[in-house]
Amino acid sequence: MSPPRIAVVGAGPSGLAATRALDRAGVDVVGFEAASDVGGLWDIDNPRSTMYESAHLISSRTTTEFTELPMSSTADYPSHRELKRYFGEYADAFGLREKFRFDTAVTRVERDGDAWSVDAAGERHTVDGVILANGTLAQPSIPTFPGHFDGEIIHSSQYKSGSLFSGKRVLIVGAGNSGCDIAVDAVHHAASVDLSVRRGYYFVPRYLFGRPSDTLNQGRPLPARLKQALDSRVLRMFTGDPVRLGFPAPDYRIYESHPIVNTLVLGHLGQGDLRVVPGPERFEGSTVHFTDGSSADYDLVVLATGYTLDYPMVDRAELNWTGWSPQLFLNIFPPTFSGLFVLGMIEASGIGWQGRYEQAELIAAYLTASPAAQARFRAEAAKPWPDLTGGYRYLALERMSYYVNKDAYRRTVRAATRRLEKS
């Protein structure tokens, strides 16, 4: 029997992982990428990229890289330029570029009998299955506020360089990792910088005890409550209490939402280079009125308000979309097992690209397994799904709706792959 022909949408880290794992397993792959080269959002020249000039990894190199090809960089937290180069090296090392059709945006994916059709660049391709690997950080989430603002409003996805802020009074709405990075950029150029926040955060230094912080305790995961208690105490020793600098106190435990890997912003707050303000309530000319009744004038508002998960080329019903995100077995398989897969729809602190590659290995193992083994795997998916939280109680937020604990998730995925390969 000839191997299945599978389409991969996207040539970023997840798409490269999918193509490598499937090709290694003998599966026929055809890839589609809207940009002119590999790299996905890490290619700042990609029109869909949300990258900015100062962006670096927030997880360390050794916990993020593909195991099969370690990065040649000596930086612990490489820049987006080094990462773009790394993805090119990865593609070249395993002959992945020739698997892709570049400058070819996929506009529609739909069932075609027992097969699937992929519409891209005016052509229709018939394949046995489709892997959506086009990323989770492309569709900006843009809130609206009453009133009218006379200055400029942009989403953080449009931000590229700190020169944008030159001489301006700046309000950054949202203190996630991008918001804090942008605030640190802005203080070197702007006339003033305010950071608008609605909830408290935990700030994790890039280095603890002289090592990248996410390399500590690798391979020896602690029970959730113990790790939360220990790490909260360590962070208090290294970063102090952000409440003292104007942040609200978190109303949740550490790791129940994504931590902020940026303590430079705390230093700038301590120096008076920026200040924390509440959430916006309404706009009036150049004035922003806040929820606590205060107000201030600005020239530029940056909405660092995150992204909405979106796979616009396929009907949501095919993805078992419920609420904020698709409900997929192991965040990969729609319960119908119709030949559609999603790769990279995971958020997890420290899961790295190897975690995505292990997802791809599981897809490859399923596609190449015997019909009996595939049936047993589908039967597993019909039972209550495994707990992937690792004991953490994640906040009920949109970006957390597909969050997993990296240790619980990788352990579960690897075990499922082994069962398929032994069948």
Side-chain angles (χ1 to χ4, degrees):
M1 186 173 68
S2 60
R5 181 169 174 80
I6 304 297
V8 173
V9 181
S14 293
L16 292 176
T19 306
R20 170 58 178 158
L22 267 62
D23 184 56
R24 195 175 188 181
V27 176
D28 186 19
V29 184
V30 55
F32 300 92
E33 170 54 53
S36 60
D37 200 2
V38 301
L41 68 85
W42 292 101
D43 178 5
I44 198 170
D45 296 322
N46 180 341
R48 294 180 73 245
S49 174
T50 57
M51 202 54 52
Y52 41 92
E53 287 292 349
S54 62
H56 290 70
L57 273 179
I58 61 171
S59 55
S60 65
R61 167 176 47 85
T62 56
T63 62
T64 309
E65 65 194 5
F66 291 113
T67 301
E68 201 174 19
L69 185 72
M71 291 189 206
S72 58
S73 173
T74 58
D76 290 324
Y77 297 94
S79 72
H80 65 88
R81 297 175 188 83
E82 291 181 281
L83 297 174
K84 170 64 170 65
R85 184 165 57 249
Y86 173 67
F87 294 127
E89 292 169 354
Y90 186 81
D92 291 340
F94 304 114
L96 304 182
R97 273 197 175 94
E98 51 262 39
K99 302 288 184 181
F100 278 90
R101 301 177 183 220
F102 293 101
D103 297 308
T104 306
V106 172
T107 54
R108 184 68 180 159
V109 171
E110 60 187 359
R111 292 201 213 198
D112 184 3
D114 292 333
W116 286 82
S117 66
V118 177
D119 293 345
E123 297 182 357
R124 172 160 289 198
H125 306 263
T126 300
V127 292
D128 298 301
V130 179
I131 298 176
L132 303 178
N134 54 311
T136 61
L137 302 176
Q139 184 63 37
S141 177
I142 302 178
T144 57
F145 301 98
H148 174 76
F149 183 62
D150 288 342
E152 183 181 6
I153 301 178
I154 67 168
H155 188 267
S156 57
S157 59
Q158 301 167 266
Y159 169 69
K160 296 299 178 184
S161 170
S163 59
L164 170 72
F165 302 122
S166 183
K168 296 177 181 177
R169 299 166 297 177
V170 177
L171 174 66
I172 298 168
V173 180
N177 280 288
S178 293
C180 288
D181 280 356
I182 293 170
V184 169
D185 284 355
V187 298
H188 300 293
H189 301 272
S192 65
V193 184
D194 288 349
L195 186 60
S196 170
V197 301
R198 293 183 182 273
R199 66 167 51 87
Y201 296 89
Y202 291 92
F203 292 84
V204 177
R206 290 181 185 248
Y207 291 92
L208 285 170
F209 307 108
R211 293 171 54 189
S213 55
D214 64 356
T215 64
L216 302 176
N217 200 43
Q218 281 294 307
R220 300 180 300 277
L222 298 172
R225 288 293 177 263
L226 178 57
K227 183 171 176 59
Q228 287 172 317
L230 290 176
D231 287 8
S232 294
R233 189 169 299 176
V234 170
L235 288 187
R236 186 67 65 96
M237 292 168 54
F238 275 83
T239 64
D241 185 1
V243 173
R244 187 177 64 83
L245 299 172
F247 281 97
D251 57 358
Y252 58 93
R253 297 174 187 264
I254 189 171
Y255 305 128
E256 292 178 347
S257 183
H258 204 71
I260 308 304
V261 189
N262 183 327
T263 51
L264 292 175
V265 71
L266 300 180
H268 284 295
L269 281 165
Q271 293 174 178
D273 297 332
L274 61 95
R275 64 172 183 155
V276 172
V277 296
E281 185 173 76
R282 61 186 174 89
F283 295 153
E284 184 181 17
S286 62
T287 303
V288 177
H289 296 269
F290 298 105
T291 55
D292 68 345
S294 64
S295 63
D297 292 340
Y298 301 97
D299 304 301
L300 172 65
V301 174
V302 180
L303 301 174
T305 47
Y307 298 86
T308 296
L309 196 64
D310 192 26
Y311 298 101
M313 70 288 292
V314 64
D315 289 343
R316 288 193 165 196
E318 296 285 7
L319 291 171
N320 191 35
W321 204 296
T322 306
W324 286 316
S325 61
Q327 299 303 298
L328 309 176
F329 181 56
L330 302 181
N331 288 38
I332 300 171
F333 302 89
T336 54
F337 282 89
S338 58
L340 185 67
F341 312 89
V342 179
L343 202 155
M345 196 197 79
I346 43 173
E347 284 286 342
S349 182
I351 198 163
W353 298 315
Q354 188 60 26
R356 273 79 171 175
Y357 184 78
E358 288 166 3
Q359 285 189 306
E361 286 185 309
L362 177 56
I363 296 173
Y366 176 77
L367 290 170
T368 57
S370 67
Q374 290 180 338
R376 285 193 293 272
F377 185 78
R378 291 193 297 270
E380 290 182 34
K383 300 175 183 177
W385 291 358
D387 179 12
L388 304 176
T389 67
Y392 294 91
R393 299 172 183 171
Y394 297 126
L395 296 185
L397 303 173
E398 181 173 0
R399 72 160 298 178
M400 304 299 293
S401 64
Y402 48 98
Y403 209 91
V404 298
N405 171 261
K406 70 177 177 68
D407 298 304
Y409 185 80
R410 293 181 69 178
R411 182 169 57 247
T412 303
V413 166
R414 289 194 296 254
T417 301
R418 287 193 299 270
R419 288 195 298 274
L420 282 166
E421 291 176 340
K422 290 178 180 178
S423 301

